[in-house]
Amino acid sequence: MPYTAGPYAGPSGAPGTGPYGQPRRTTNGLAIGSLVSGIVCCLPPLGLALGLVALPQIRKRDQAGKGLAVAGIVLSAVSCLLLVIGLVTGGIGSAWSDFKEGVDEAARSKSPLSLRTGQCFLDEGKLEEYTTDVTIVDCDRPHDGEVSGGFKVTGFDKWPGEDAIDAIAEKRCETVNAAYALDTWAVPVDVWLYYYLPSAQSWRLGDRMVTCAFATEKKSFSGSVHSDASTLTDDQTYFLKAVNPIETVSYREPDEDPDEDFAANKVWAGEFLSTIDTARGQLELRSWPAESATAVAALRKELEAASKEWGKLSTAADAEAYWASYDTAWDTVPGDLGADARTALGLTGAPPEREGTAA
């Protein structure tokens, strides 16, 4: 229940007087300063000096505050003693170190709105729907997520609703993440696409930014997942840009079976065929280093065989014909998407192990 404080009714009398109209006895200011200095322990010698000066003033001026001055002198004397002991034993240095560590930790505590590309963070809300606090940490330490980038939502004059922004974020952040971590096999298996959206409240304050990230809702992970043209060689970058779309499109297979939605499955099979052919053509166009040329050529040959079978699948006349070609088409897709070529190029040579699988 809300609490409201009412006005305080003090003793009656004219301003500057106490009860019954007698002159109000003032409190010595130096005594107050001595007590404050003694309590906060910032400058104990100052509190001691102020208290010693205040005592004779209080006697001469008939002021209040003797107790304050005495308390300030005692506290300041104790603080001075502790300061000397701390300097001798090194305790002051340890306390200062702890203080700096606390300040540093506070400086790393941010709103998700302040996250920047490349920063790793701990989510205080454990990646729940609404998060107000995240802590930036070194990527070598365990963390919940790593920022891959972000974008500004445009095209709306007013708050469009969370569902509308969510649909935009999922599509745009997929592209952002793909560009940020080209070496997808170096991304831990339980680390997926994640993003922070503006809320209706922050939207009214001008917030239009979506922050994209790699994050996990399970055990925190260590190490950066960043791998792009700034961290990879030209050959590594070219190879991954050619092959990664095959993996991406494979995840887009419709949830409905061909018996339920034949048209959607047929369209997807055609998209997958096109992705395979594009990758095969790109791999053929490049002159590869001697140590990787043979492995890349072998992958290209596997993709050529897969193209023939996916051509049959994408032109199936009906659901029955689709099913008849389905397993064969999948069997021709290189399960490792060129593990030998990846290893020869110095990339991650094996996909991350899923929980419960053998090493």
Side-chain angles (χ1 to χ4, degrees), residues 110-112 115 120-137 142-146 194-196 213 215-217 220:
K110 306 278 186 179
S111 160
L115 288 172
C120 294
F121 60 90
L122 293 170
D123 188 319
E124 304 300 330
K126 293 304 177 186
L127 303 179
E128 293 178 356
E129 185 174 0
Y130 296 103
T131 300
T132 57
D133 295 302
V134 295
T135 301
I136 298 171
V137 298
H143 50 274
D144 297 323
E146 179 175 352
Y194 192 80
Y195 43 81
Y196 291 107
T216 177
E217 295 179 353
S220 298

Side-chain angles (χ1 to χ4, degrees), residues 124-207:
E124 304 300 330
K126 293 304 177 186
L127 303 179
E128 293 178 356
E129 185 174 0
Y130 296 103
T131 300
T132 57
D133 295 302
V134 295
T135 301
I136 298 171
V137 298
D138 191 288
C139 289
D140 290 334
R141 293 176 54 187
H143 50 274
D144 297 323
E146 179 175 352
V147 181
S148 55
F151 63 91
K152 186 175 182 179
V153 178
T154 59
F156 298 100
D157 295 329
K158 60 180 181 179
W159 169 244
E162 187 175 313
D163 290 344
I165 299 181
D166 186 79
I168 296 171
E170 184 170 2
K171 186 175 182 180
R172 291 281 299 274
C173 284
E174 182 180 272
T175 301
V176 170
N177 278 21
Y180 185 82
L182 288 176
D183 192 357
T184 57
W185 288 6
V187 179
V189 69
D190 292 323
V191 175
W192 300 94
L193 170 70
Y194 192 80
Y195 43 81
Y196 291 107
L197 307 176
S199 64
Q201 293 77 14
S202 67
W203 183 278
R204 286 196 295 269
L205 297 174
D207 175 28

Side-chain angles (χ1 to χ4, degrees), residues 114-306:
S114 66
L115 288 172
R116 297 293 179 264
T117 301
Q119 290 180 329
C120 294
F121 60 90
L122 293 170
D123 188 319
E124 304 300 330
K126 293 304 177 186
L127 303 179
E128 293 178 356
E129 185 174 0
Y130 296 103
T131 300
T132 57
D133 295 302
V134 295
T135 301
I136 298 171
V137 298
D138 191 288
C139 289
D140 290 334
R141 293 176 54 187
H143 50 274
D144 297 323
E146 179 175 352
V147 181
S148 55
F151 63 91
K152 186 175 182 179
V153 178
T154 59
F156 298 100
D157 295 329
K158 60 180 181 179
W159 169 244
E162 187 175 313
D163 290 344
I165 299 181
D166 186 79
I168 296 171
E170 184 170 2
K171 186 175 182 180
R172 291 281 299 274
C173 284
E174 182 180 272
T175 301
V176 170
N177 278 21
Y180 185 82
L182 288 176
D183 192 357
T184 57
W185 288 6
V187 179
V189 69
D190 292 323
V191 175
W192 300 94
L193 170 70
Y194 192 80
Y195 43 81
Y196 291 107
L197 307 176
S199 64
Q201 293 77 14
S202 67
W203 183 278
R204 286 196 295 269
L205 297 174
D207 175 28
R208 300 293 186 272
M209 291 300 299
V210 171
T211 301
C212 308
F214 283 92
T216 177
E217 295 179 353
K218 297 185 178 181
K219 186 178 180 181
S220 298
F221 63 103
S222 301
S224 174
V225 300
H226 186 205
S227 58
D228 60 14
S230 67
T231 65
L232 302 171
T233 67
D234 290 343
D235 288 325
Q236 290 173 332
T237 302
Y238 187 95
F239 178 87
L240 292 172
K241 285 185 175 181
V243 174
N244 281 356
I246 299 176
E247 190 175 47
T248 301
V249 175
S250 71
Y251 296 143
R252 296 177 183 166
E253 183 174 9
D255 294 330
E256 297 80 8
D257 289 339
D259 298 318
E260 300 171 343
D261 193 341
F262 172 65
N265 280 271
K266 189 173 181 178
V267 168
W268 169 76
E271 183 183 3
F272 200 39
L273 169 65
S274 176
T275 304
I276 290 173
D277 287 340
T278 299
R280 181 165 57 92
Q282 289 178 339
L283 293 176
E284 189 173 4
L285 288 173
R286 192 171 184 84
S287 178
W288 297 95
E291 60 272 18
S292 61
T294 301
V296 173
L299 173 60
R300 197 170 63 241
K301 193 170 183 179
E302 289 181 294
L303 293 176
E304 184 177 355

Side-chain angles (χ1 to χ4, degrees), residues 41 44 75-92:
C41 299
L75 290 174
S76 297
V78 172
S79 297
C80 287
L81 180 60
L82 292 176
L83 178 62
V84 172
I85 294 174
L87 291 173
V88 172
T89 62
I92 295 297

Side-chain angles (χ1 to χ4, degrees), residues 11-18 21-24:
S12 61
T17 64
Q22 297 298 320
R24 182 176 296 161

